[in-house]
Amino acid sequence: MQKNTDAFLDSLLKANAERLGPVMADPGEYRLQVIYTRIDRNARNQPVFTDHAYRLSPETYFYPASTVKMPAAFLALEKVNRLRVNKYTPMYTDSLSGITTAVTSDSSAETRQPSVAHYIKKIFLVSDNDAFNRLYEFLGQEAFNRSLWEKGYPSVQVRHRLDIALPQEANRLTNAVRFVDNGETVYRQPEQQSALQFAPRADSVGKAHYEGNKLVEAPFNFSEKNRIVLEDLHNILRSVIFPESVTSARRFRLTEEDYRFLYRYMSQLPAETDHPVYDTTEFHRNYVKYLLGGADAKTELPAGLRIFNKPGWAYGFLTDVAYFADFANNVEFMLSATVYCNKDGVIGDDTYDFETVGQPFLRELGRVIYEAELKRTRKYKPDLRRYKVTYGPEQQP
């Protein structure tokens, strides 16, 4: 993939600077990074990728927030396949004293049982934090990271659970789990303790930060927080949307049914599921659709278009990684972006500029690229049937 900025994307974004708003007026201040992948198909419908980058900088830290849930979902499916356990089989998690509680039921599931499949569904539908934490515990910190390093993402550091403030050593510990099928334990995993030594980092952001209720006039140190560079997130998604395009070593070991399962829930909207039943006032149609959707309930996406994505937002950082498939116009492309929305520079004060700056920017960025794609001539129309899903009543295989 091209590094830094190429002339095509630079020209396209600058030509639309006014509609893209304050972020384009000072992209350095907003720590903006963008990757746009054009996809052309050959006569055999094989994809050919042309990557364009704007201010792509692996050295510029951004907090990945919930985007780490995407590789967690892929790795969890890979692990159940390796263990020869069904992803729908109930998975019970034991408690870890002072860290996390046990899970022996899930009232949001049709079966009332927790499972890898249901956790993944909640991750993509509404970015559920507890669902990620349970997959993190199933995978184990060490295996989580080593698996991604072995697939060609050596800079990844997934060091902690989400939405739970725990010391480093607590995040090294992960709960015992067991899979139970019709009363029979088919797999048992004991508590694990990661011995992984992460490469040291020096990632600090902001002008000041809060420690509890105390304001500290110094940047916030992210060096022990999760880290994934934008290019890795983009390529992790590409390896699942287009598994035939990556080498065997980089591919997740998934079945064709796994891909269908992922395509469904990565593109489904909260109102299109019966389990869980979501309050669509809060979890509206664009709740996790930032690029093009703007996470705005009032925004209408083009008819026939589906977005397969995973966003993340925390500490002022807003990121979305997405594949777009427009079945009405035979258009497809990939777009990933991260932007820092924190005008006051204070980390931890919960006064970030997501709604006023970040979400409108990502909405317009998606529109700019989508409009360019609609105008683009393709020698061969893509056959997108692989990604077309019927969003009716769910049936467990």
Side-chain angles (χ1 to χ4, degrees):
M1 184 176 292
Q2 295 168 276
K3 302 296 182 184
N4 303 318
T5 299
D6 66 64
F8 170 77
L9 190 54
D10 180 69
S11 176
L12 179 62
L13 297 183
K14 286 180 177 176
N16 290 276
E18 185 173 347
R19 65 187 285 193
L20 291 169
V23 174
M24 279 306 297
D26 193 352
E29 178 69 19
Y30 289 96
R31 305 171 78 93
L32 176 63
Q33 298 184 57
V34 181
I35 304 171
Y36 159 44
T37 298
R38 280 184 165 179
I39 305 166
D40 292 285
R41 300 279 181 158
N42 63 21
R44 292 180 291 171
N45 202 47
Q46 295 170 324
V48 178
F49 306 108
T50 304
D51 294 313
H52 298 283
Y54 181 77
R55 295 183 56 84
L56 191 61
S57 173
E59 298 78 25
T60 301
Y61 179 80
F62 69 90
Y63 181 65
S66 292
T67 61
V68 300
K69 298 170 186 174
M70 180 175 66
F74 302 161
L75 289 172
L77 287 176
E78 186 176 68
K79 182 170 180 175
V80 294
N81 289 340
R82 185 171 65 251
L83 297 173
R84 299 176 184 253
V85 174
N86 192 305
K87 60 180 170 283
Y88 295 97
T89 299
M91 182 182 85
Y92 302 133
T93 304
D94 292 350
S95 64
L96 267 178
S97 180
I99 299 178
T100 54
T101 57
V103 180
T104 56
S105 64
D106 187 339
S107 61
S108 71
E110 184 175 12
T111 63
R112 318 287 288 185
Q113 298 294 310
S115 68
V116 166
H118 197 63
Y119 286 139
I120 291 173
K121 178 181 177 181
K122 291 192 287 185
I123 278 172
F124 286 117
L125 281 170
V126 298
S127 200
D128 189 284
N129 285 326
D130 179 70
F132 165 77
N133 292 341
R134 299 311 178 174
L135 295 188
Y136 174 92
E137 291 159 357
F138 169 53
L139 294 168
Q141 185 196 79
E142 186 162 351
F144 195 145
N145 286 274
R146 288 197 185 281
S147 295
L148 291 176
W149 297 348
E150 290 166 2
K151 291 184 190 301
Y153 308 107
S155 67
V156 167
Q157 292 189 7
V158 181
R159 304 173 66 130
H160 57 82
R161 296 167 175 86
L162 297 178
D163 202 34
I164 305 174
L166 294 169
Q168 282 192 81
E169 289 309 310
N171 280 310
R172 290 183 177 278
L173 297 171
T174 47
N175 313 44
V177 299
R178 66 190 189 281
F179 288 77
V180 179
D181 187 11
N182 292 320
E184 179 185 354
T185 299
V186 294
Y187 173 72
R188 185 186 299 274
Q189 178 174 286
E191 290 181 11
Q192 299 182 77
Q193 181 170 12
S194 171
L196 206 57
Q197 295 299 312
F198 291 103
R201 291 160 33 205
D203 295 320
S204 295
V205 181
K207 301 174 183 176
H209 67 278
Y210 274 92
E211 292 182 2
N213 294 321
K214 181 184 176 183
L215 180 65
V216 179
E217 297 289 347
F220 183 76
N221 184 5
F222 283 91
S223 299
E224 294 177 357
K225 293 290 187 182
N226 293 336
R227 178 182 188 269
I228 304 185
V229 301
L230 191 65
E231 184 175 359
D232 285 352
L233 286 168
H234 193 83
N235 286 334
I236 287 169
L237 176 60
R238 180 151 63 186
S239 74
V240 166
I241 299 295
F242 303 99
E244 71 284 353
S245 72
V246 299
T247 63
S248 177
R250 302 198 74 163
R251 196 175 303 149
F252 292 88
R253 299 295 187 255
L254 306 179
T255 67
E256 192 56 36
E257 197 279 324
D258 290 334
Y259 287 116
R260 297 295 300 166
F261 171 84
L262 287 170
Y263 298 161
R264 177 181 185 129
Y265 295 117
M266 293 181 81
S267 61
Q268 191 172 36
L269 308 180
E272 294 174 324
T273 178
D274 296 327
H275 304 282
V277 175
Y278 290 110
D279 175 355
T280 53
T281 301
E282 177 183 2
F283 299 109
H284 53 78
R285 59 188 169 187
N286 289 325
Y287 181 73
V288 294
K289 306 301 177 187
Y290 282 77
L291 289 161
L292 202 65
D296 178 10
K298 297 178 182 178
T299 297
E300 289 274 1
L301 293 176
L305 180 134
R306 284 284 171 168
I307 304 172
F308 304 71
N309 74 309
K310 187 69 201 75
W313 61 97
Y315 294 117
F317 293 96
L318 180 56
T319 304
D320 199 3
V321 183
Y323 165 70
F324 296 76
D326 182 342
F327 302 101
N329 295 293
N330 290 305
V331 165
E332 62 176 338
F333 62 95
M334 289 186 66
L335 181 62
S336 299
T338 184
V339 59
Y340 180 56
C341 320
N342 189 20
K343 187 176 181 180
D344 68 9
V346 179
I347 302 289
D349 63 355
D350 292 328
T351 58
Y352 305 120
D353 308 308
F354 291 133
E355 295 182 0
T356 57
V357 175
Q359 292 168 205
F361 170 76
L362 291 184
R363 181 188 65 230
E364 290 305 312
L365 175 63
R367 286 176 176 174
V368 166
I369 301 300
Y370 178 62
E371 289 164 9
E373 284 285 331
L374 286 175
K375 296 174 184 175
R376 193 164 70 83
T377 301
R378 291 167 171 77
K379 185 175 181 179
Y380 300 101
K381 288 185 178 180
D383 181 347
L384 302 176
R385 285 177 294 178
R386 176 177 176 84
Y387 311 105
K388 199 157 193 176
V389 176
T390 301
Y391 302 96
E394 291 132 304
Q395 294 181 350
Q396 179 175 314

